[in-house]
Amino acid sequence: VLFIFICSLRMLLVLLVFVAFSLLILYITTLVFPDVFGNNNERMKFVMETLHSLQLKTERRNYPVMTIKDFLYRTSKDNADQEAWCICFGHVINLKGFSRVHPGGDFLDHFIGKDMTPWMIISHSKSETALKHLRTRAVAVIENNSNNDLFDMSLLPKMDNSYVRMFFEFVEKGRFVNQHAWTIRDVLETYVPLLVGYPLALWYPSLYWLGIALLCISGSRQGIFYHDIMHRSVFSCAARARRVVYLSSMLIWGFDFNVIGDIHDIHHGFVNVIGLDTAIDMPLLPVDPAHFTVGKLGFPSLFRKYLFAANAFFYGFLAWMVLPFYSLYPFFSYYLSSWKGFLTGGLAAVIRTVLVFWFWEYHSPIIIAAVVGFFYFALIGSLNHFHKQMTTKEQFFESYGPTSGVPGEIDTFVSLQSQTVQNTDHGTIADALLGHFTLHIEHHLFPMMPRRAYNEASHDIQNLLRQYNLQYSVCSQSDAISSFNNTLRFPESKLIK
């Protein structure tokens, strides 16, 4: 029996060594020969099908053709019979009754009388459901007098017009194609440290901290990988991405992290827009002069400036609360909103939470790793936003239109996505460690683009910004940290770089 037991252990050890060696060979192969694994051949299928479907509508004799002048009159606030219409892909979309049930929130009313095409592109290009809603709510086509071979974009600012064209050019160039080798690499970087670190932390006291370190690496990589999946840059279909997130997050946490993805989509649509972007609305931390005008609470000025109260609050408490907040938010906002929500999701979350504390000895290493991973994710994300220019939703939507594009103002989609964020110095190592958050301007303009494709797209994006005299802001990581910390101390007088 002893002999069989020793042989079994040896066979298990040989098997583990073989698996480890095979995974190492696989990882190296993805680096050296990535094309061997193929790609998803992403060509924005649902967008193209939607454009085709809308084109078929225009060929019907009873489908109305509307002029811009008529559209603006029908949607004017001065019109007693104002229509709840916006424009997307050159068609008039009826928003009546939809804003209240829109999963992303009730902000759609801000687009009445405006063209929302750029926002549709970055949020729903891979969503069959959203684009189906768009097709069914199309009530007319805008007469194309803009000499545009795509569709009428005369209500868009010139730079946003160029952006929409660039999107379709990037589709043709294959910029949105995701290499399967990239996904394999992300899976290995995320879950191999987890599978190795967990038993070390649980069963080998002398190697406990090594196990925790590996789990923390896994947690930080998982945050970046989840971020990619929720942006639909990994899969060609939003529904598939949501299923992956749902199954994995419910299995591990008992909470559906798609809710967090929906919140993050709003952040991307309205980055640094006070009143819409919840990512900049941190409790007790005003980060812009506009926060004081809207009455946001914060630490007394003396405490902020000389005792570093806001900095201590962020690093010592708030950044560590990202995981609990993201876990509890869907529970209170969705699961407790109705009996159906509680029975379908809330009950599972309660049972999962009870099991976590009941078997705390087995869960604690993963909880620690997840909290550290989310702290890391919150920190690297914070370096690109809070010290940059901000606006309010009233200011932005009042000024948004075909004449927008005033230098120094945040009044177009492109300026909103490029002037409220910045890049940091990047290279192979920095990009890998920071999940390509180093190329944050590229990320905000094209969030569905795989992060490893940003370098190829960067030249074209810089040319777009240069064409319209927009700044392409880049600084070192140390300068980004310094600017962020200064903004926490002096939000009422922050200097925009």
Side-chain angles (χ1 to χ4, degrees), residues 170 173-177 179 182 439 442 449-461:
F170 279 176
K173 292 179 180 178
R175 294 280 192 255
F176 294 96
V177 170
Q179 298 283 347
W182 298 343
L439 293 164
E442 287 79 359
M449 183 180 293
R451 69 179 193 268
R452 294 179 178 90
Y454 290 152
N455 278 308
E456 292 182 5
S458 182
H459 178 72
D460 291 330
I461 290 172

Side-chain angles (χ1 to χ4, degrees), residues 25-26 29-31 33-39 179-182 184:
I25 294 298
L26 177 63
T29 306
T30 63
L31 289 169
F33 305 108
D35 294 338
V36 170
F37 299 89
N39 60 66
Q179 298 283 347
H180 294 323
W182 298 343
I184 294 171

Side-chain angles (χ1 to χ4, degrees), residues 150-214:
L150 290 172
F151 38 77
D152 183 85
M153 292 192 281
S154 54
L155 275 190
L156 286 178
K158 289 184 178 180
M159 65 179 72
D160 290 2
N161 189 311
S162 299
Y163 167 82
V164 174
R165 287 177 171 276
M166 178 175 283
F167 168 78
F168 286 102
E169 289 171 4
F170 279 176
V171 172
E172 288 296 318
K173 292 179 180 178
R175 294 280 192 255
F176 294 96
V177 170
N178 183 66
Q179 298 283 347
H180 294 323
W182 298 343
T183 305
I184 294 171
R185 210 179 306 161
D186 284 332
V187 170
L188 293 176
E189 291 174 358
T190 300
Y191 296 108
V192 169
L194 171 67
L195 295 174
V196 175
Y198 182 72
L200 292 181
L202 205 60
W203 297 311
Y204 297 91
S206 61
L207 299 175
Y208 175 81
W209 288 110
L210 174 60
I212 291 295
L214 290 172

Side-chain angles (χ1 to χ4, degrees), residues 195-245:
L195 295 174
V196 175
Y198 182 72
L200 292 181
L202 205 60
W203 297 311
Y204 297 91
S206 61
L207 299 175
Y208 175 81
W209 288 110
L210 174 60
I212 291 295
L214 290 172
L215 286 170
C216 289
I217 292 172
S218 173
S220 62
R221 302 311 295 180
Q222 186 177 44
I224 293 169
F225 192 31
Y226 259 45
H227 179 256
D228 289 349
I229 294 174
M230 287 192 287
H231 273 304
R232 282 79 72 187
S233 64
V234 176
F235 299 108
S236 297
C237 174
R240 184 181 302 170
R242 294 183 73 87
R243 282 197 299 272
V244 170
V245 171

Side-chain angles (χ1 to χ4, degrees), residues 20 99 170-171 212 215 224 255 279 316 318 330 359 388 436 449 485 491:
S99 185
F170 279 176
V171 172
I212 291 295
L215 286 170
I224 293 169
F255 297 96
L318 201 61
F359 298 100
K388 299 297 291 182
H436 291 76
M449 183 180 293
N485 286 327

Side-chain angles (χ1 to χ4, degrees), residues 165-418:
R165 287 177 171 276
M166 178 175 283
F167 168 78
F168 286 102
E169 289 171 4
F170 279 176
V171 172
E172 288 296 318
K173 292 179 180 178
R175 294 280 192 255
F176 294 96
V177 170
N178 183 66
Q179 298 283 347
H180 294 323
W182 298 343
T183 305
I184 294 171
R185 210 179 306 161
D186 284 332
V187 170
L188 293 176
E189 291 174 358
T190 300
Y191 296 108
V192 169
L194 171 67
L195 295 174
V196 175
Y198 182 72
L200 292 181
L202 205 60
W203 297 311
Y204 297 91
S206 61
L207 299 175
Y208 175 81
W209 288 110
L210 174 60
I212 291 295
L214 290 172
L215 286 170
C216 289
I217 292 172
S218 173
S220 62
R221 302 311 295 180
Q222 186 177 44
I224 293 169
F225 192 31
Y226 259 45
H227 179 256
D228 289 349
I229 294 174
M230 287 192 287
H231 273 304
R232 282 79 72 187
S233 64
V234 176
F235 299 108
S236 297
C237 174
R240 184 181 302 170
R242 294 183 73 87
R243 282 197 299 272
V244 170
V245 171
Y246 174 79
L247 292 173
S248 58
S249 60
M250 288 295 289
L251 176 65
I252 298 173
W253 302 111
F255 297 96
D256 183 5
F257 271 39
N258 280 305
V259 177
I260 311 308
D262 294 336
I263 297 172
H264 192 66
D265 278 345
I266 299 174
H267 158 68
H268 269 265
F270 307 105
V271 55
N272 280 20
V273 177
I274 296 171
L276 287 175
D277 184 1
T278 55
I280 61 172
D281 191 22
M282 299 183 294
L284 297 178
L285 289 183
V287 290
D288 191 84
H291 271 142
F292 294 96
T293 63
V294 298
K296 182 177 176 63
L297 297 176
F299 291 98
S301 176
L302 180 67
F303 286 16
R304 276 191 288 103
K305 292 179 180 179
Y306 302 107
L307 299 180
F308 299 88
N311 304 69
F313 180 65
F314 176 81
Y315 290 108
F317 176 76
L318 201 61
W320 297 100
M321 292 296 105
V322 174
L323 176 62
F325 171 78
Y326 276 179
S327 299
L328 293 175
Y329 182 88
F331 183 79
F332 288 103
S333 299
Y334 292 84
Y335 298 155
L336 295 186
S337 61
S338 65
W339 277 108
K340 181 180 178 181
F342 179 75
L343 292 176
T344 56
L347 189 60
V350 170
I351 294 173
R352 187 71 180 86
T353 303
V354 170
L355 291 175
V356 166
F357 288 98
W358 191 270
F359 298 100
W360 178 251
E361 178 184 353
Y362 299 98
H363 284 94
S364 58
I366 293 180
I367 298 294
I368 293 171
V371 170
V372 172
F374 271 81
F375 173 85
Y376 171 81
F377 191 73
L379 180 61
I380 62 176
S382 301
L383 301 183
N384 299 307
H385 290 289
F386 294 103
H387 56 281
K388 299 297 291 182
Q389 191 171 353
M390 296 186 181
T391 186
T392 64
K393 59 182 179 181
E394 293 79 14
Q395 290 173 331
F396 181 78
F397 284 105
E398 283 177 11
S399 61
Y400 186 72
T403 59
S404 302
V406 178
E409 295 293 325
I410 304 298
D411 58 358
T412 69
F413 173 84
V414 173
S415 62
L416 180 66
Q417 300 297 332
S418 64

